[in-house]
Amino acid sequence: MSVNYQDPLSWSLELEKHFCGDVSSASVQSHLRIEDKLQIDCCSKATFIGLYDGFKGDEASSYLRECFFPSLL
């Protein structure tokens, strides 16, 4: 992950090559504590992108990021 040091509330993931194309992502937060979680996982036949809303806490979004994709496999 690459960080824009001029703005502590922004970050980006560099462009990476995958079997079906290139993938990158970026985020700009509105405050220091972010509750939403982003997930990008690639396997030999698919790319999975998940954005989980952590409304009023990050417990549910953290759990989904850890468990959802592995359960699909």
Side-chain angles (χ1 to χ4, degrees):
M1 177 167 56
S2 141
V3 178
N4 177 353
Y5 290 104
Q6 297 169 348
D7 184 355
L9 298 178
S10 69
W11 62 267
S12 64
L13 183 64
E14 298 295 327
L15 193 64
E16 295 181 13
K17 294 220 177 272
H18 295 282
F19 78 98
C20 61
D22 299 334
V23 175
S24 69
S25 63
S27 174
V28 177
Q29 300 170 212
S30 60
H31 48 82
L32 286 175
R33 185 168 188 271
I34 191 163
E35 299 165 340
D36 299 341
K37 303 296 181 205
L38 172 67
Q39 176 181 18
I40 301 174
D41 283 306
C42 298
C43 62
S44 62
K45 296 185 180 184
T47 299
F48 178 83
I49 299 173
L51 177 59
Y52 310 111
D53 187 359
F55 183 71
K56 293 190 178 182
D58 65 352
E59 293 85 10
S61 58
S62 294
Y63 175 80
L64 286 170
R65 185 174 64 182
E66 293 294 318
C67 300
F68 189 63
F69 183 66
S71 70
L72 288 176
L73 293 176

